[in-house]
Coordinates of all heavy atoms in Angstrom, one line a residue:
R3 N 0.8 -1.2 0.0 CA 0.0 0.0 0.0 C 0.9 1.3 0.0 O 0.7 2.2 -0.8 CB -0.9 0.0 1.2 CG -1.8 1.2 1.3 CD -2.7 1.1 2.6 NE -3.5 2.3 2.8 CZ -4.7 2.5 2.2 NH1 -5.2 1.6 1.4 NH2 -5.3 3.6 2.4
F4 N 1.9 1.2 0.8 CA 2.8 2.4 0.9 C 3.6 2.6 -0.4 O 3.7 3.7 -0.9 CB 3.8 2.1 2.1 CG 4.9 3.1 2.1 CD1 4.8 4.4 2.7 CD2 6.2 2.8 1.6 CE1 5.8 5.3 2.8 CE2 7.2 3.7 1.6 CZ 7.0 5.0 2.2
L5 N 4.1 1.5 -1.0 CA 4.8 1.5 -2.2 C 3.9 2.0 -3.4 O 4.4 2.6 -4.4 CB 5.4 0.2 -2.6 CG 6.5 -0.3 -1.7 CD1 6.9 -1.7 -2.0 CD2 7.7 0.6 -1.7
G6 N 2.6 1.8 -3.2 CA 1.6 2.3 -4.2 C 1.3 3.8 -4.0 O 0.4 4.3 -4.7
G7 N 1.9 4.4 -3.0 CA 1.6 5.9 -2.8 C 0.5 6.2 -1.8 O 0.1 7.3 -1.7
K8 N 0.1 5.2 -1.1 CA -1.0 5.4 -0.1 C -0.4 5.4 1.3 O 0.6 4.8 1.6 CB -2.1 4.3 -0.3 CG -2.7 4.3 -1.6 CD -3.7 3.1 -1.7 CE -4.4 3.1 -3.1 NZ -5.3 2.0 -3.3
R9 N -1.1 6.0 2.2 CA -0.7 6.1 3.6 C -0.9 4.7 4.2 O -1.9 4.0 3.9 CB -1.5 7.2 4.3 CG -1.2 8.6 3.9 CD -2.0 9.6 4.6 NE -1.8 9.6 6.0 CZ -0.8 10.2 6.6 NH1 0.0 11.0 5.9 NH2 -0.7 10.2 8.0
S10 N 0.0 4.4 5.2 CA -0.1 3.2 5.9 C 0.2 3.5 7.4 O 1.3 3.9 7.7 CB 0.8 2.1 5.4 OG 0.9 1.0 6.3
L11 N -0.7 3.3 8.3 CA -0.5 3.5 9.7 C 0.6 2.5 10.2 O 1.4 2.9 11.0 CB -1.8 3.3 10.5 CG -1.7 3.5 12.0 CD1 -1.2 4.9 12.4 CD2 -3.0 3.2 12.7
I12 N 0.5 1.3 9.7 CA 1.5 0.2 10.2 C 2.9 0.7 9.8 O 3.9 0.6 10.6 CB 1.2 -1.1 9.6 CG1 -0.1 -1.7 10.2 CG2 2.3 -2.1 9.8 CD1 -0.6 -2.9 9.6
V13 N 3.1 1.1 8.5 CA 4.4 1.6 8.1 C 4.9 2.8 8.9 O 6.0 2.8 9.4 CB 4.4 1.9 6.6 CG1 5.7 2.6 6.2 CG2 4.2 0.6 5.8
S14 N 4.0 3.7 9.2 CA 4.3 4.9 9.9 C 4.8 4.5 11.3 O 5.8 5.1 11.9 CB 3.1 5.9 10.0 OG 2.8 6.3 8.7
Q15 N 4.1 3.6 12.0 CA 4.4 3.2 13.3 C 5.8 2.4 13.4 O 6.6 2.7 14.3 CB 3.3 2.3 13.9 CG 2.0 3.1 14.2 CD 0.9 2.2 14.7 OE1 0.9 1.0 14.4 NE2 0.0 2.8 15.5
M16 N 6.0 1.5 12.4 CA 7.2 0.7 12.4 C 8.4 1.6 12.1 O 9.5 1.2 12.5 CB 7.1 -0.4 11.4 CG 6.1 -1.5 11.9 SD 6.0 -2.9 10.7 CE 7.6 -3.7 11.1
R17 N 8.2 2.7 11.4 CA 9.4 3.6 11.1 C 9.9 4.3 12.3 O 11.0 5.0 12.2 CB 9.0 4.6 10.0 CG 8.8 3.9 8.6 CD 8.2 4.9 7.6 NE 9.0 6.0 7.4 CZ 8.8 6.9 6.4 NH1 7.8 6.7 5.5 NH2 9.6 8.0 6.2
R18 N 9.2 4.3 13.4 CA 9.6 5.2 14.5 C 10.7 4.6 15.3 O 11.4 5.4 16.0 CB 8.3 5.4 15.5 CG 7.2 6.1 14.8 CD 6.0 6.2 15.7 NE 4.9 6.9 15.1 CZ 3.7 7.1 15.7 NH1 3.4 6.5 16.9 NH2 2.8 7.7 15.0
R19 N 10.9 3.3 15.3 CA 11.9 2.7 16.1 C 13.0 2.0 15.2 O 12.6 1.3 14.2 CB 11.3 1.6 17.0 CG 10.3 2.2 18.0 CD 9.7 1.1 18.9 NE 10.8 0.4 19.7 CZ 11.1 -0.9 19.5 NH1 10.5 -1.6 18.5 NH2 12.0 -1.5 20.2
P20 N 14.3 2.2 15.5 CA 15.3 1.6 14.7 C 15.1 0.0 14.5 O 15.4 -0.5 13.5 CB 16.6 1.9 15.5 CG 16.3 3.1 16.2 CD 14.8 3.0 16.6
Q21 N 14.7 -0.6 15.6 CA 14.7 -2.1 15.6 C 13.6 -2.6 14.7 O 13.6 -3.7 14.2 CB 14.4 -2.6 17.0 CG 15.6 -2.4 17.9 CD 15.7 -1.0 18.4 OE1 14.8 -0.2 18.3 NE2 16.9 -0.7 19.0
T22 N 12.5 -1.8 14.4 CA 11.5 -2.2 13.4 C 11.7 -1.5 12.1 O 11.3 -2.1 11.1 CB 10.1 -1.9 14.0 OG1 10.0 -0.5 14.4 CG2 9.8 -2.8 15.2
A23 N 12.2 -0.3 12.1 CA 12.4 0.4 10.8 C 13.4 -0.3 9.9 O 13.3 -0.3 8.7 CB 12.9 1.8 11.1
Y24 N 14.4 -1.0 10.5 CA 15.5 -1.6 9.7 C 14.9 -2.8 8.9 O 15.0 -2.8 7.7 CB 16.6 -2.1 10.6 CG 17.7 -2.7 9.8 CD1 18.7 -2.0 9.1 CD2 17.9 -4.1 9.7 CE1 19.7 -2.6 8.3 CE2 18.9 -4.7 9.0 CZ 19.7 -3.9 8.3 OH 20.7 -4.5 7.5
P25 N 14.3 -3.8 9.6 CA 13.7 -4.9 8.8 C 12.6 -4.4 7.8 O 12.5 -5.0 6.7 CB 13.2 -5.9 9.8 CG 13.0 -5.1 11.1 CD 14.1 -4.1 11.0
L26 N 11.8 -3.4 8.3 CA 10.8 -2.9 7.4 C 11.4 -2.3 6.1 O 10.9 -2.5 5.0 CB 10.0 -1.8 8.1 CG 8.9 -1.2 7.3 CD1 7.7 -2.2 7.3 CD2 8.4 0.1 8.0
S27 N 12.5 -1.5 6.3 CA 13.2 -0.9 5.1 C 13.7 -2.0 4.2 O 13.7 -1.8 2.9 CB 14.3 0.0 5.6 OG 15.4 -0.7 6.1
K28 N 14.2 -3.1 4.7 CA 14.8 -4.1 3.9 C 13.7 -5.0 3.2 O 13.9 -5.4 2.1 CB 15.7 -5.0 4.7 CG 17.0 -4.3 5.3 CD 17.8 -3.6 4.1 CE 19.1 -3.0 4.7 NZ 19.9 -2.5 3.6
K29 N 12.6 -5.2 3.9 CA 11.5 -5.8 3.3 C 10.9 -5.0 2.1 O 10.5 -5.5 1.1 CB 10.4 -6.1 4.3 CG 9.2 -6.9 3.7 CD 9.6 -8.2 3.2 CE 8.4 -9.0 2.6 NZ 8.9 -10.3 2.1
A30 N 10.9 -3.7 2.3 CA 10.5 -2.7 1.3 C 11.4 -2.9 0.0 O 10.8 -2.9 -1.1 CB 10.5 -1.3 1.8
V31 N 12.7 -3.0 0.2 CA 13.6 -3.2 -0.9 C 13.2 -4.5 -1.6 O 13.2 -4.5 -2.9 CB 15.0 -3.2 -0.4 CG1 16.0 -3.6 -1.6 CG2 15.5 -1.8 0.1
Q32 N 13.0 -5.6 -0.9 CA 12.7 -6.8 -1.5 C 11.4 -6.8 -2.3 O 11.3 -7.3 -3.4 CB 12.6 -7.9 -0.4 CG 13.9 -8.2 0.3 CD 13.7 -9.0 1.5 OE1 12.6 -9.3 2.0 NE2 14.9 -9.3 2.2
L33 N 10.4 -6.1 -1.8 CA 9.1 -6.0 -2.5 C 9.3 -5.0 -3.7 O 8.7 -5.2 -4.8 CB 8.0 -5.4 -1.6 CG 7.6 -6.4 -0.5 CD1 6.6 -5.7 0.4 CD2 6.9 -7.7 -1.1
Y34 N 10.1 -4.0 -3.6 CA 10.3 -3.0 -4.6 C 10.9 -3.6 -5.9 O 10.5 -3.3 -7.0 CB 11.2 -1.9 -4.1 CG 11.6 -0.8 -5.1 CD1 10.6 0.1 -5.5 CD2 12.9 -0.7 -5.6 CE1 10.9 1.1 -6.4 CE2 13.2 0.3 -6.5 CZ 12.2 1.2 -6.9 OH 12.5 2.2 -7.8
V35 N 11.8 -4.6 -5.7 CA 12.4 -5.2 -6.9 C 11.3 -6.0 -7.7 O 11.4 -6.1 -8.9 CB 13.6 -6.1 -6.6 CG1 14.7 -5.3 -6.0 CG2 13.3 -7.3 -5.8
Q36 N 10.4 -6.5 -7.0 CA 9.3 -7.2 -7.7 C 8.5 -6.2 -8.5 O 8.1 -6.5 -9.6 CB 8.4 -7.9 -6.7 CG 9.1 -9.0 -5.9 CD 8.1 -9.6 -4.9 OE1 6.9 -9.6 -4.9 NE2 8.7 -10.3 -3.9
I37 N 8.2 -5.1 -7.9 CA 7.3 -4.1 -8.5 C 8.1 -3.4 -9.7 O 7.4 -3.2 -10.7 CB 7.0 -3.0 -7.5 CG1 6.0 -3.6 -6.4 CG2 6.3 -1.8 -8.1 CD1 5.8 -2.7 -5.2
M38 N 9.4 -3.3 -9.6 CA 10.1 -2.6 -10.6 C 10.6 -3.5 -11.8 O 11.0 -3.0 -12.8 CB 11.4 -1.9 -10.0 CG 11.1 -0.6 -9.3 SD 10.4 0.7 -10.5 CE 11.9 1.0 -11.5
A39 N 10.5 -4.8 -11.6 CA 11.0 -5.7 -12.6 C 10.4 -5.5 -14.0 O 11.1 -5.5 -15.0 CB 10.8 -7.1 -12.2
P40 N 9.1 -5.3 -14.1 CA 8.5 -5.0 -15.5 C 9.1 -3.8 -16.1 O 9.4 -3.8 -17.3 CB 7.0 -4.9 -15.2 CG 6.8 -5.7 -14.0 CD 8.0 -5.4 -13.1
A41 N 9.2 -2.7 -15.4 CA 9.7 -1.4 -16.0 C 11.1 -1.6 -16.4 O 11.6 -1.1 -17.4 CB 9.5 -0.3 -15.0
C42 N 11.9 -2.3 -15.5 CA 13.3 -2.5 -15.8 C 13.4 -3.4 -17.0 O 14.3 -3.2 -17.9 CB 14.0 -3.1 -14.6 SG 14.3 -2.0 -13.3

């Protein structure tokens, strides 16, 4: 939802703490390559 440009309360909350923001950021990278593969 966040990668699609929409607001996400879960993402906002997890970004507040380093211990949750780190795995969240890396999961976002993993999902991002799936989303970007067609354009690439």
Side-chain angles (χ1 to χ4, degrees):
R3 179 180 175 85
F4 172 82
L5 293 174
K8 299 178 181 178
R9 293 177 60 85
S10 168
L11 180 60
I12 291 173
V13 171
S14 296
Q15 290 177 333
M16 291 184 69
R17 287 171 62 169
R18 294 176 181 175
R19 297 179 60 250
Q21 292 76 17
T22 52
Y24 182 79
L26 183 74
S27 69
K28 296 303 188 176
K29 183 61 182 180
V31 170
Q32 293 165 357
L33 292 175
Y34 178 68
V35 300
Q36 296 177 22
I37 292 169
M38 280 298 292
C42 288

